[in-house]
Amino acid sequence: MCIGLGMLIGCQAQTKKPLASPPADTSQTVDGKTVSIHYNAPSMRGRKIFGGLVPYDHWWRTGANPATTLKTEANLKIGTATVPAGTYTLYTLPSTGTWKLIINKQTGQWGTKYDQSQDLARVDMKKETLSSPQEVMSITLEPFQGKQSTLHIRWETTDVSVPVVAE
């Protein structure tokens, strides 16, 4: 039992539940420059994800809570898009066919705030099926081999990817 203000604060900290969609990061370095992605990673928790919780043919925040952020100190080519060094928001457009990665110039907003007029580019992503379901969504940036990497978004039984090249 907690008694007194100091103990009350301690008790509140002890009873704080972990976030349902905790923050996560992926980053790699190329030519001494960092490329990083910050997102919140939701879990399936028994839900149908793509075509259910995340509808097809509608933009998605690509994670949970705040918008997913790409920060790059290097100029990049992501798929067919030229992405100058800077900070961007990543959205996706899930589909039963080809997904699109949306690179948006608006930053700092909550994930449900999307302004299409701020799109820098939309690029096609390669879609594959995972051999077994992945409970927690992940975004990974593979280690650069020379100047080349691959960005993966995996969740449920879906793995979508796009090549990333440092320029």
Side-chain angles (χ1 to χ4, degrees):
M1 184 166 116
C2 298
I3 301 171
L5 181 59
M7 295 300 287
L8 178 60
I9 293 168
C11 285
Q12 287 176 337
Q14 290 173 0
T15 60
K16 188 175 181 183
K17 293 180 183 178
L19 290 173
S21 301
D25 293 285
T26 184
S27 67
Q28 295 296 331
T29 302
V30 59
D31 294 336
K33 296 178 180 177
T34 301
V35 179
S36 64
I37 299 172
H38 180 77
Y39 63 102
N40 282 57
S43 295
M44 287 173 44
R45 295 191 301 274
R47 302 175 291 184
K48 166 80 176 133
I49 302 304
F50 298 114
L53 177 68
V54 177
Y56 289 124
D57 305 317
H58 185 273
W59 62 268
W60 173 48
R61 71 174 103 189
T62 315
N65 305 331
T68 295
T69 304
L70 164 70
K71 290 184 181 179
T72 177
E73 296 174 347
N75 294 328
L76 302 174
K77 186 80 147 185
I78 300 177
T80 57
T82 300
V83 181
T87 303
Y88 302 90
T89 296
L90 298 180
Y91 296 97
T92 45
L93 185 60
S95 171
T96 55
T98 303
W99 281 44
K100 295 210 179 279
L101 178 68
I102 302 168
I103 304 159
N104 188 276
K105 297 178 281 186
Q106 183 182 14
T107 60
Q109 72 278 16
W110 193 250
T112 56
K113 302 293 182 192
Y114 170 62
D115 181 354
Q116 185 174 347
S117 71
Q118 293 293 310
D119 285 358
L120 174 70
R122 290 181 174 210
V123 297
D124 289 345
M125 301 184 81
K126 178 181 176 184
K127 182 179 175 184
E128 296 184 279
T129 301
L130 296 170
S131 59
S132 60
Q134 180 170 313
E135 174 67 25
V136 179
M137 189 201 90
S138 67
I139 299 175
T140 55
L141 188 60
E142 301 298 324
F144 280 88
Q145 302 297 318
K147 293 187 179 280
Q148 299 187 18
S149 178
T150 304
L151 170 67
H152 285 270
I153 301 167
R154 296 180 180 104
W155 199 18
E156 195 177 40
T157 57
T158 301
D159 176 2
V160 289
S161 61
V162 64
V164 177
V165 178
E167 297 191 316

